[in-house]
Amino acid sequence: MTDPADLRPVTTEEWPAFSRAMLEVFGDEPVGDFTETPPPVAELDRSLGLWADDGRVAATAGIYSRQLTVPGAVVPCAGVTWVTVSPTHRRRGVLTAVMRRQLTELHERGGEPLAGLWASEGGIYGRFGYAVATQRGNLRGRTREMSFRPDVDLGTGAVAPVDADAYRAGAARVHEALRRWVPGNMERDERWWGRLLRDPAEHRHGASARRFLLHREADGEVSGYAAFRVRSRWTDDEQPDGTVVVDEVRARSTPAYAALWRYLLDLDLVRSVEAGHAPAEDPLRHLLADPRALHARPLDGLWLRLVDVGRALAARRYPAPIDMVLEVRDRFCPWNDGRWWLRGHPAGAFCAPTDGDPDLVVDVEALAAAYLGGVSLGTLQAAGRVTEVSPGAVTQAATAFSWPVSPYCPDQF
């Protein structure tokens, strides 16, 4: 029987077998260069593979070294990816061994205090201490119903289609200016922009190749960008009924943002819009004359795990002062299980173990859910995930853990 203790990093020579085994579990076709050569963003030294007795790859996992914006700071984050277990090796503790190996190594090496992932199934990762920290808006609407309020200012700039190279140069500057202010955002170096702009035909799902827009101010400065596709469709009586599928819209000003969306909503032959990865609290709704024209069905986005509670809580900032003891329950990572004294304010924070009496008792998943400011500790208390020991502690902590900008992660990995 294959022993989960035999997990080890994959080599370049082993990558084709590793990638094919991973794609098979995800139900994807093994096509393209990805199956033969590790992509530029791959970090094979941070990968894990489990080989069966017959030489097949029975389990896969990996980590990307990312930088995650958290309230008031940017923090190293282990981007967990490639996690699969072959059906032949289910219910043998393999996934548990993978999760334990990753988190233990991060802790012992003093590496990233946070780990994040995108979950293929919602019921898997909670038992390992991960929780939903951002949401996708999954927005839908009929474009002819989405006129703007009369006071919406489109500014003096202009929106224009551009090719991929021009888009990459302009969008990268805007993204870098914005991502440090939005919890859940991640850095994009040249490797990650290259990955983002790959556009293989098998990923288009009946839509066009990806198209690009830049918004430039009157002086020529790029102040916004958008990426989208168009899915053409005609009704039975030959009327246009296409859909604009929006990947991303970001801008440094409200007029630029509004102008980009106006361009997308006014495309010829398009009658509906889909923006599955837009923020759950996208400002678009507040531009519309009829807010009901935009329909949202939020889905989970980035799942977060506090690898080291003390370092993670000390890394972020708190808009209101907090000085209390948290008793954290963490069954999977025993080094976190215990009482932590947290002092924080807008300029910095301190967190260390203590034997003091707790003000709040919270499980590590609930703490991860609240960490980026997307879920109130008051809401988690109502769900039985937070217990108030000192009167008023939930109100104080919920205020301190909040953040004026809703968390949003546009980068899937």
Side-chain angles (χ1 to χ4, degrees), residues 97 201 210 329 350:
R210 190 180 285 113
R329 304 284 174 82
F350 164 86

Side-chain angles (χ1 to χ4, degrees), residues 8 30 65 75-76 80 84 88 116 118 158 186 189 237 250 257 279 282 285 287 294 302 315 364 376-377 396:
R8 63 171 176 80
S65 303
V75 178
V80 175
T84 68
T88 61
W118 288 78
M186 292 185 167
D189 60 18
D237 55 353
R250 305 293 296 275
Y257 191 75
D282 198 293
R285 183 182 304 280
L287 298 175
L294 185 64
L302 181 71
V364 76
S376 169
L377 285 167
Q396 181 188 354

Side-chain angles (χ1 to χ4, degrees), residues 198-330:
R198 286 185 68 251
D199 191 23
E202 60 268 20
H203 291 173
R204 296 174 187 171
H205 305 294
S208 69
R210 190 180 285 113
R211 303 176 185 178
F212 307 104
L213 303 173
L214 289 181
H215 181 278
R216 289 186 172 89
E217 300 299 329
D219 61 3
E221 180 185 2
V222 175
S223 54
Y225 65 87
F228 68 100
R229 305 178 191 274
V230 173
R231 187 185 302 125
S232 296
R233 182 181 179 276
W234 299 82
T235 66
D236 292 341
D237 55 353
E238 298 299 317
Q239 294 299 312
D241 194 26
T243 300
V244 55
V245 182
V246 179
D247 288 343
E248 188 174 13
V249 182
R250 305 293 296 275
R252 299 184 67 173
S253 71
T254 300
Y257 191 75
L260 286 162
W261 269 112
R262 195 67 265 159
Y263 185 103
L264 294 167
L265 298 173
D266 289 343
L267 286 169
D268 288 340
L269 310 182
V270 163
R271 297 295 181 268
S272 63
V273 60
E274 297 177 1
H277 292 280
E281 295 189 21
D282 198 293
L284 174 61
R285 183 182 304 280
H286 303 283
L287 298 175
L288 300 178
D290 179 6
R292 293 184 182 179
L294 185 64
H295 306 282
R297 184 168 158 250
L299 298 171
D300 56 289
L302 181 71
W303 290 60
L304 202 62
R305 214 289 180 197
L306 276 59
V307 177
D308 283 303
V309 164
R311 291 196 295 135
L313 293 182
R316 60 156 287 175
R317 302 295 179 261
Y318 301 84
I322 183 171
D323 186 347
M324 64 175 54
V325 174
L326 309 179
E327 183 172 316
V328 178
R329 304 284 174 82
D330 192 343

Side-chain angles (χ1 to χ4, degrees), residues 69-75 183 311-322 342-350 370-373 397 399-404:
T69 300
V70 304
V74 177
V75 178
R311 291 196 295 135
L313 293 182
R316 60 156 287 175
R317 302 295 179 261
Y318 301 84
I322 183 171
L342 171 63
R343 288 187 297 157
H345 48 77
F350 164 86
Y371 183 77
L372 296 182
T399 303
F401 272 83
S402 67
W403 197 250

Side-chain angles (χ1 to χ4, degrees), residues 6 29 31 36 43 55 71 74 78 86 99 117 142 178 217 238 243 250 264 275-276 333 360-361 363 377 405:
D6 294 333
E29 289 294 324
V31 296
E36 301 301 327
E43 300 176 46
V74 177
S86 170
M99 295 288 104
L117 57 79
R142 299 295 289 178
L178 294 175
E217 300 299 329
E238 298 299 317
T243 300
R250 305 293 296 275
L264 294 167
C333 294
L360 287 180
V361 180
D363 66 66
L377 285 167
V405 180

